[in-house]
Amino acid sequence: MTSTTLRRRLHHGDIDGRNREHLETTDSYSLSEPLLSNYEDDDSVTQGRRVDDIWDDQRRMERLHWTSLFSQLIAQWAQWLANIVYGSGSLIGRILPLSSATQNGLSQKLFPSSLSPLQEERLRYLQQRLEVPFDGSCVEHQDALKQLWRLAYPGRDLPALKSELWKEMGWQGTDPSTDFRGGGFISLENLIFFAKNYPTSFQSLLHKKDGARAEWEYPFAVAGINISFMLIQMLDLQSGKPSSLAGIRFLELLKEDEMAFDSLYCVAFQMMDAQWLAKRASYMEFNDVLKSTRTQLERELALEDVSSVKDLPAYTLLNR
């Protein structure tokens, strides 16, 4: 993205937040959480039961179970060792995720306080992306939405910007722009990145191909917006400099890959769906599944040998 393009995006203004929940930021900008349970258009997200290969489902659940168990054991062992090294005498790190105070205290000892010029540049660029709200009147944003449709449904005619067909992708209504109230333009960029770089996984999740699905499935596109928001919170990206343990570990990933956030998004989406299948969840349980996804992702980011997104155990769930 050129600096001219970025400035054009930024001039559209701040994202309007709801009064219920806000993320504190260094300026007046706020991002409100687009929880699925707050939507009332039940018919737009109800889908028929799809039952595919049960053996594939079982293998995915077993792999998720062992990945989760291994990650928990390693993370707990690492935190136990940290307690001994630093002699705090507290119960720090017996389980993850850590409290904010514990994360900050531990991270200050384990990580340098200053960032490299490359990390600062990439973090600043990522934070600028977060400040861009989705603007349905912006031609560039309209074109991005059209690009997502073409990637999702190659060979199909492009619908109007307001059409019943958008519901097939998992938007709440006929106008996708109304669903970006909490995610901003970056959540659309995340979906496009996913579709372009991991088309097999993207198509599998879009069409709910894997496993025995619930009668009331999560809407794909809006779930993607929630995942973007969850990552922004988890990584503490709207602070001047992330101070959460997950955020600090992410800065190491960002040093290796400027698109680390988008790649982590793909892992999180695939991990969420795997947890969804393992829990045999339905629509009203989406937020619980998203919370458990965040917990598991925090644990994997805490692993000592993770230096890139591809090192995460859950990365193996993705298919190109």
Side-chain angles (χ1 to χ4, degrees), residues 245-290:
L245 181 57
I248 293 171
R249 291 305 306 271
F250 171 74
L251 292 177
E252 295 299 308
L253 307 187
L254 197 61
K255 183 170 61 177
E256 299 298 322
D257 179 10
E258 63 179 340
M259 302 304 292
F261 180 81
D262 301 78
S263 297
L264 191 62
Y265 170 88
C266 300
V267 173
F269 209 141
Q270 186 70 66
M271 179 187 289
M272 184 279 293
D273 190 76
Q275 296 239 8
W276 178 271
L277 292 175
K279 295 175 181 291
R280 299 186 179 276
S282 185
Y283 178 87
M284 297 305 293
E285 299 169 280
F286 177 82
N287 289 327
D288 291 335
V289 173
L290 194 61

Side-chain angles (χ1 to χ4, degrees), residues 68-269:
S68 175
L69 180 61
F70 178 75
S71 298
Q72 290 181 43
L73 291 175
I74 293 298
Q76 290 176 11
W77 177 84
Q79 296 303 315
W80 171 78
L81 181 61
N83 290 340
I84 296 177
V85 172
Y86 295 108
S88 64
S90 67
L91 299 179
I92 295 175
R94 287 192 176 180
I95 59 173
L96 291 176
L98 304 174
S99 67
S100 298
T102 302
Q103 286 180 357
N104 294 340
L106 185 59
S107 61
Q108 289 172 1
K109 297 175 181 177
L110 294 180
F111 297 90
S113 58
S114 60
L115 302 179
S116 69
L118 180 61
Q119 285 173 301
E120 289 183 348
E121 178 184 355
R122 289 179 174 178
L123 176 61
R124 182 166 57 251
Y125 173 68
L126 177 56
Q127 290 174 331
Q128 287 174 334
R129 290 176 64 194
L130 303 183
E131 296 175 0
V132 182
F134 181 86
D135 184 350
S137 65
C138 175
V139 174
E140 184 181 2
H141 293 195
Q142 293 174 1
D143 289 343
L145 198 57
K146 294 175 183 177
Q147 181 185 12
L148 178 63
W149 177 273
R150 294 189 183 100
L151 290 168
Y153 305 109
R156 289 184 58 179
D157 292 338
L158 182 69
L161 292 174
K162 293 183 180 181
S163 168
E164 289 288 332
L165 293 176
W166 287 105
K167 293 182 181 180
E168 295 182 24
M169 194 186 292
W171 301 103
Q172 297 289 310
T174 59
D175 183 3
S177 65
T178 62
D179 287 325
F180 286 98
R181 50 185 145 183
F185 186 66
I186 193 172
S187 59
L188 178 55
E189 291 180 315
N190 291 155
L191 283 167
I192 292 173
F193 181 91
F194 192 10
K196 292 174 66 174
N197 291 273
Y198 301 95
T200 301
S201 284
F202 179 90
Q203 291 292 331
S204 178
L205 298 185
L206 171 64
H207 297 289
K208 305 295 194 300
K209 292 180 179 179
D210 292 336
R213 317 299 305 202
E215 290 187 15
W216 201 7
E217 277 288 305
Y218 64 84
F220 173 80
V222 179
I225 294 177
N226 277 265
I227 291 171
S228 295
F229 182 86
M230 179 271 288
L231 287 177
I232 294 168
Q233 279 191 314
M234 184 188 80
L235 301 177
D236 197 23
L237 290 178
Q238 291 186 286
S239 298
K241 183 167 64 175
S243 58
S244 68
L245 181 57
I248 293 171
R249 291 305 306 271
F250 171 74
L251 292 177
E252 295 299 308
L253 307 187
L254 197 61
K255 183 170 61 177
E256 299 298 322
D257 179 10
E258 63 179 340
M259 302 304 292
F261 180 81
D262 301 78
S263 297
L264 191 62
Y265 170 88
C266 300
V267 173
F269 209 141

